[in-house]
């Protein structure tokens, strides 16, 4: 990362300096060209203002305008006088653009580059009253030559700036990377890391993920401890009673009672194991593996469930009914059956003798719903949020004595999530509980 930042900064610096230099040199050279041309024009008019120049009169100006070349060109292009070429015949100038333009327009300027591109020649020509043309010219370094001359200077600046870049990029990379490295070293305390604005959401996310992982680990540990604890009680009973029978310490008349206890504990174990396996299946069920949705007739489903639970209800002296209208929802049938079964089973088990459980389905405000209402013992406010946690029970002994595992509502919550549904609880101690599930 550091290397990348450094090399990118260096490339940017070199590019910026080169582009700026080229731009500035060209801009200045354009001004310079204009200035030189203006000078030539002013000098030409100064000479003209004195008298019409002739070969003789121009010689007088040689000293005054020693840095300029003065040429007097006849109408036909023949060179009548040239301040720099004296004793040599010069070729005819009739083809020179400034001469031709001056003949037509009165005056004209032109710039030409030398063959090697090192020099620029500026010309300014003015037509005289007698038809001849006076041309002033000046030789300067070309823009390319100027650029070539300042090349070492630019190189020096680039080098200095590169050094500066190397230091700055190191500082920059360090300040960018420092919080990330700190975070990697101490993931447990992300709040101690000094971040900058852009990194804050990332640190927040890492912190949340880390907390979620820890929470997940804690929950799993707690769950394992709870499962072990729950398994222990029925296993101890089974082991104890069977030992009594095995060693012959159980009296004849107790054997049947002990066998019943063993049977009861074994059933508890089975229920507990089944619920634990079911929860673990739901935990690991990812959306892509999600069983195919089917159209379910909710009313048909609750009627079947009520039939299934009628004997259990009778044993608890509770009446159970199915009510409502035919509605169809898209979900996995086995899951919805499980959900209705668990809710109705709770409605029966946490009910009083003579109480009722009503299961209803239908459509409310355009949403399909399922509702299980009982006239049972109800749930106090402080427990209402927690009853969906694994192994959370309001009254442990009542749950156990009625065959509860403390996992029923945790399974319900999972199923509701998997179906994309919503669950609402309304309960009052002594009056009863109403649980409603809205399907998507
Ligand atoms: P359990 O197997 O103990 O019934 P659940 O997860 O089904 O476990 O329920 C958790 C706890 O919520 C129960 O132990 C009970 O205290 C309370 N509860 C659940 N349903 C009802 C209900 N209909 N009426 C009163 N209490 C309920």
């Amino acid at each position: 990362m550091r290397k990348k930042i450094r090399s990118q900064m260096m490339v940017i610096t070199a590019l910026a300096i080169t582009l700026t230099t080229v731009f500035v040199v060209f801009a200045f050279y354009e001004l310079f060209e204009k200035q030189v041309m203006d000078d030539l024009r002013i000098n030409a008019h100064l000479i003209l203002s004195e008298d019409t120049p002739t070969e003789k009169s121009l010689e007088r100006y040689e000293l005054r305008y020693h840095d300029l070349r003065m040429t007097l060109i006849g109408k036909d292009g023949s060179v009548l006088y040239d301040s720099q070429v004296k004793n040599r015949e010069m070729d005819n100038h009739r083809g020179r653009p400034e001469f031709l333009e001056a003949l037509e327009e009165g005056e004209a300027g032109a710039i030409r580059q030398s063959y090697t591109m090192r020099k620029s020649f500026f010309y300014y020509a003015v037509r005289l009253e007698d038809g001849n043309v006076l041309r002033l010219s000046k030789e300067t370094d070309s823009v390319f030559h100027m650029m070539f001359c300042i090349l070492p200077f630019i190189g020096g600046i680039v080098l200095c700036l590169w050094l500066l870049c190397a230091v700055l990029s190191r500082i920059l990379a360090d300040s960018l990377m420092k919080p990330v490295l700190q975070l990697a070293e101490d993931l447990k305390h992300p709040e101690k890391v000094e971040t900058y604005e852009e990194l804050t959401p990332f640190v927040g996310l890492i912190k949340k993920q880390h907390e979620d992982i820890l929470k997940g680990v804690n929950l799993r540990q707690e769950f394992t401890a709870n499962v072990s604890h729950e398994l222990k009680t029925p296993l101890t009973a089974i082991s104890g009673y069977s030992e009594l029978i095995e060693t012959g310490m159980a009296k004849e008349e107790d054997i049947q009672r002990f066998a019943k206890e063993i049977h009861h504990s074994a059933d508890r174990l089975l229920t507990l194991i089944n619920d634990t396996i079911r929860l673990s299946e739901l935990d690991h069920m990812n959306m892509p593996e999600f069983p195919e949705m089917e159209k379910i007739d909710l009313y048909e489903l609750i009627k079947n469930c009520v039939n299934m639970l009628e004997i259990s209800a009778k044993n608890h002296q509770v009446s159970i009914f199915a009510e409502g209208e035919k509605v169809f929802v898209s979900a996995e049938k086995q899951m919805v059956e499980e959900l209705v079964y668990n809710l109705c089973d709770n409605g029966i088990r946490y009910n009083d003798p003579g109480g009722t459980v009503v299961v209803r389905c239908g459509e409310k405000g355009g949403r399909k719903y399922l509702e299980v209402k009982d006239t049972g013992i109800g749930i106090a406010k402080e427990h209402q949020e927690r009853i969906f946690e694994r192994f959370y029970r309001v009254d442990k002994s009542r749950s156990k004595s009625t065959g509860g595992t403390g996992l029923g509502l945790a399974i319900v919550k999972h199923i509701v999530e998997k179906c994309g549904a919503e669950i609402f609880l309304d309960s009052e101690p002594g009056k009863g509980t109403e649980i409603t599930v809205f399907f998507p």
Side-chain angles (χ1 to χ4, degrees):
M1 185 67 186
R2 279 196 188 116
K3 268 189 196 154
K4 208 170 166 184
I5 291 178
R6 190 181 313 157
S7 56
Q8 282 181 357
M9 274 181 87
M10 282 175 163
V11 171
I12 291 169
T13 316
L15 250 163
I17 294 169
T18 313
L19 286 178
T20 315
T21 314
V22 170
F23 176 76
V24 169
V25 167
F26 270 94
F28 271 105
Y29 197 77
E30 215 174 291
L31 281 177
F32 171 72
E33 274 180 355
K34 196 173 167 302
Q35 189 61 48
V36 172
M37 209 48 107
D38 279 352
D39 281 354
L40 288 178
R41 187 172 47 79
I42 291 166
N43 284 326
H45 283 283
L46 271 177
I47 294 171
L48 284 183
S49 67
E50 295 192 14
D51 52 16
T52 306
T54 60
E55 253 179 280
K56 282 266 167 282
S57 67
L58 282 174
E59 273 178 5
R60 289 204 318 263
Y61 295 119
E62 272 183 23
L63 210 62
R64 204 193 308 167
Y65 299 111
H66 60 91
D67 57 335
L68 296 181
R69 177 178 175 187
M70 292 176 285
T71 314
L72 189 63
I73 308 166
K75 287 177 221 166
D76 57 352
S78 57
V79 178
L80 306 174
Y81 165 82
D82 191 289
S83 62
Q84 282 182 9
V85 184
K86 288 274 171 75
N87 305 319
R88 209 161 25 94
E89 184 83 358
M90 286 181 72
D91 34 319
N92 192 293
H93 276 29
R94 83 167 76 88
R96 306 288 155 97
E98 69 278 7
F99 170 72
L100 288 172
E101 212 182 322
L103 277 186
E104 264 190 28
E105 308 284 335
E107 45 193 274
I111 304 168
R112 286 196 280 281
Q113 302 293 332
S114 70
Y115 179 68
T116 54
M117 303 294 272
R118 284 172 67 92
K119 296 281 178 195
S120 288
F121 298 101
F122 291 77
Y123 299 99
Y124 199 83
V126 184
R127 190 182 62 210
L128 307 178
E129 278 171 1
D130 56 7
N132 291 340
V133 169
L134 170 69
R135 187 185 76 174
L136 297 190
S137 62
K138 192 177 170 88
E139 181 188 318
T140 65
D141 286 335
S142 75
V143 66
F144 305 105
H145 183 67
M146 277 188 188
M147 215 118 82
F148 186 73
C149 290
I150 57 172
L151 218 57
F153 176 67
I154 297 173
I157 298 182
V158 170
L159 212 72
C160 289
L161 282 175
W162 272 0
L163 285 176
L164 196 70
C165 268
V167 178
L168 281 180
S169 60
R170 202 187 176 87
I171 296 172
L172 186 69
D174 280 353
S175 64
L176 281 175
M177 297 307 295
K178 197 176 156 195
V180 181
L181 295 175
Q182 269 182 352
L183 200 64
E185 269 174 26
D186 188 7
L187 250 181
K188 277 187 195 153
H189 304 103
E191 66 282 355
K192 282 189 190 163
V193 178
E194 285 172 35
T195 58
Y196 40 89
E197 200 186 331
E198 290 78 2
L199 202 68
T200 314
F202 170 71
V203 174
L205 191 75
I206 296 272
K207 185 180 171 188
K208 195 176 169 303
Q209 277 184 350
H210 189 67
E211 280 170 1
D212 284 351
I213 291 169
L214 287 181
K215 215 157 101 186
V217 170
N218 283 343
L219 274 178
R220 223 158 287 149
Q221 279 174 351
E222 204 180 303
F223 183 65
T224 315
N226 275 327
V227 171
S228 317
H229 181 77
E230 295 287 332
L231 290 174
K232 230 170 165 178
T233 324
L235 274 175
T236 314
I238 291 171
S239 169
Y241 288 126
S242 52
E243 193 184 358
L244 284 178
I245 297 170
E246 186 193 13
T247 52
M249 282 168 77
K251 288 186 202 141
E252 194 64 36
E253 63 268 28
D254 287 335
I255 288 181
Q256 199 180 4
R257 189 168 58 84
F258 288 178
K260 198 176 159 195
E261 288 294 342
I262 291 172
H263 186 184
H264 176 74
S265 295
D267 276 351
R268 257 188 74 68
L269 269 182
L270 266 178
T271 325
L272 193 68
I273 290 166
N274 280 338
D275 279 0
T276 313
I277 291 172
R278 187 65 187 135
L279 254 184
S280 153
E281 275 172 2
L282 287 168
D283 261 347
H284 293 104
M285 194 184 279
N286 292 324
M287 268 342 208
E289 296 167 26
F290 193 75
E292 275 194 21
M293 298 276 197
E294 49 188 310
K295 253 197 154 100
I296 310 163
D297 181 349
L298 258 190
Y299 187 62
E300 200 57 38
L301 190 144
I302 62 172
K303 269 201 312 193
N304 286 342
C305 202
V306 165
N307 283 342
M308 238 186 325
L309 281 162
E310 230 148 30
I311 297 172
S312 163
K314 222 174 237 160
N315 290 342
H316 286 85
Q317 297 163 41
V318 170
S319 320
I320 182 163
F321 311 100
E323 286 180 0
E325 48 181 312
K326 228 178 179 38
V327 296
F328 288 90
V329 293
S330 263
E332 208 238 329
K333 196 169 174 195
Q334 194 202 333
M335 278 196 186
V336 184
E337 274 173 352
E338 218 174 329
L339 179 138
V340 178
Y341 183 93
N342 281 349
L343 293 180
C344 293
D345 185 45
N346 281 353
I348 296 168
R349 287 191 297 117
Y350 300 105
N351 218 319
D352 297 317
T356 53
V357 178
V358 180
V359 197
R360 184 178 289 120
C361 68
E363 216 167 324
K364 257 192 237 179
R367 296 178 83 188
K368 286 154 186 169
Y369 76 94
L370 172 120
E371 179 187 281
V372 180
K373 190 174 180 177
D374 66 60
T375 54
I377 58 170
I379 307 157
K381 272 265 170 299
E382 66 267 29
H383 299 293
Q384 287 185 5
E385 255 193 30
R386 301 203 59 194
I387 55 166
F388 292 95
E389 288 173 17
R390 295 163 187 205
F391 294 113
Y392 188 84
R393 292 140 157 151
V394 179
D395 179 351
K396 216 169 192 164
S397 60
R398 176 158 186 155
S399 161
K400 282 189 176 171
S401 67
T402 54
T405 56
L407 294 174
L409 286 183
I411 292 174
V412 165
K413 189 180 150 197
H414 256 294
I415 292 176
V416 164
E417 276 170 11
K418 296 272 186 261
C419 293
E422 278 182 289
I423 190 161
F424 296 96
L425 169 85
D426 185 13
S427 182
E428 207 178 313
K431 286 206 168 157
T433 304
E434 184 181 322
I435 294 181
T436 315
V437 176
F438 284 101
F439 287 88

